[in-house]
Every structure is written in C-alpha cells, then in structure tokens.
C-alpha cells in the first residue's frame, strides 16, 4: 500500500525530464513535492505556491526557497513519523541558488529515503527508486 500523499519517484527521471523540458519540469516538480509534504501534514515556512511563483518569476530566489521549504517540510514529516531529522539546509540553500535541478533531485532522493525508512520501520511498502540513502553529509 502506498502513502496517500508522498510518492517515490525515480531521481534519474526527474533530472532527465527537467533537462528535456529546459527546466519547466523542475519548476512543476518543486511545487508537487512541497505540496505532497504539506498534504502529509507539514507546514513549511514557505508554502508550495510561493515556491512555485518565485521559481517562475525570481529564479535563484525561488531555488533557495525550494531548498529551505524542502528541508523544513521534510523534517516536519520525519518528525511526525518518528524518524530522526536530516539537516540539509545549508547544502540545499546554496545549491538552490545556483542549481535548482540538483536541489530538487536531492530533495526527491531524501523523500524516497524517508519513505523507505517509514516502510522498514513498520509502515507501508513503496515502489522502486534509482538511489537510496540520506543526502546529509
């Protein structure tokens, strides 16, 4: 049974589709991933709609906010599920300014890892992923 909100996605597919669509997929997926965590119960300091609008109109500011909101929302979900937090804030903020696609890939990788951790701790089972493991250094 899959989680009703958060989904595992292939990180490679996210990267490839972002490159093929010249970044449009990055913007759309940024909104979708943050929105999924909001529906899971997270209340990030920067809502998914704001991240979407700033990624469209303010470029690097939106990318930085993607990193900030992604870290905040993911840690709130991990806390709700009784999992330890991951501190990726600085990495995701800096990469978000210069490389939003890499930030998005790291956030999706962390979501996949979080869903795997939930499944292995007695939660549901989920579909496959290209990469596993935390992104925190």
């Amino acid at each position: 049974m899959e989680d009703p909100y958060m989904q595992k996605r292939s990180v490679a597919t996210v990267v490839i589709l972002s490159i093929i669509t010249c970044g449009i997929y990055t913007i759309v997926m940024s909104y979708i991933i943050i929105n999924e965590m909001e529906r899971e119960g997270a209340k990030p300091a920067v809502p998914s709609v704001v991240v979407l609008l700033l990624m469209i109109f303010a470029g690097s500011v939106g990318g930085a906010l993607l990193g900030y909101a992604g870290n905040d929302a993911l840690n709130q979900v991990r806390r709700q599920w009784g999992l330890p937090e991951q501190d990726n804030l600085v990495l995701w903020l800096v990469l978000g300014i210069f490389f939003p696609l890499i930030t998005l890939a790291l956030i999706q990788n962390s979501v996949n890892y979080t869903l795997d951790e939930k499944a292995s701790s007695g939660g549901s089972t989920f579909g496959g992923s290209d990469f596993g493991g935390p992104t925190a250094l």
Side-chain angles (χ1 to χ4, degrees):
M1 181 177 157
E2 288 190 13
D3 187 278
Y5 302 114
M6 293 172 59
Q7 295 182 19
K8 287 183 76 172
R9 292 179 182 85
S10 166
V11 175
T13 301
V14 169
V15 170
I16 291 167
L17 288 175
S18 292
I19 292 169
I20 290 172
T21 62
C22 299
I24 294 171
Y25 193 77
T26 301
I27 294 169
V28 171
M29 283 308 300
S30 298
Y31 169 79
I32 290 171
I33 291 172
I34 302 297
N35 187 266
E36 286 176 354
M37 289 188 271
E38 287 175 342
R39 288 185 289 149
E40 192 64 54
K43 306 250 184 286
V46 182
S48 56
V49 173
V50 173
V51 172
L52 173 69
L53 292 173
L54 286 174
M55 286 197 69
I56 292 171
F57 296 111
S60 61
V61 173
L65 286 178
L66 167 64
Y68 180 76
N71 186 69
D72 186 30
L74 186 63
N75 280 329
Q76 287 181 33
V77 169
R78 291 181 66 82
R79 231 178 287 124
Q80 286 177 347
W81 291 349
L83 300 172
E85 293 185 20
Q86 296 178 342
D87 185 17
N88 298 309
L89 182 60
V90 174
L91 175 66
W92 290 357
L93 275 173
V94 172
L95 285 175
I97 292 169
F98 301 105
F99 307 105
L101 171 57
I102 295 172
T103 304
L104 177 65
L106 291 173
I107 292 171
Q108 184 61 58
N109 185 52
S110 290
V111 167
N112 292 347
Y113 181 73
T114 298
L115 292 171
D116 285 340
E117 274 189 299
K118 180 184 177 192
S120 68
S121 68
S124 305
T125 56
F126 305 96
S129 165
D130 284 350
F131 303 101
T135 57
L137 300 176

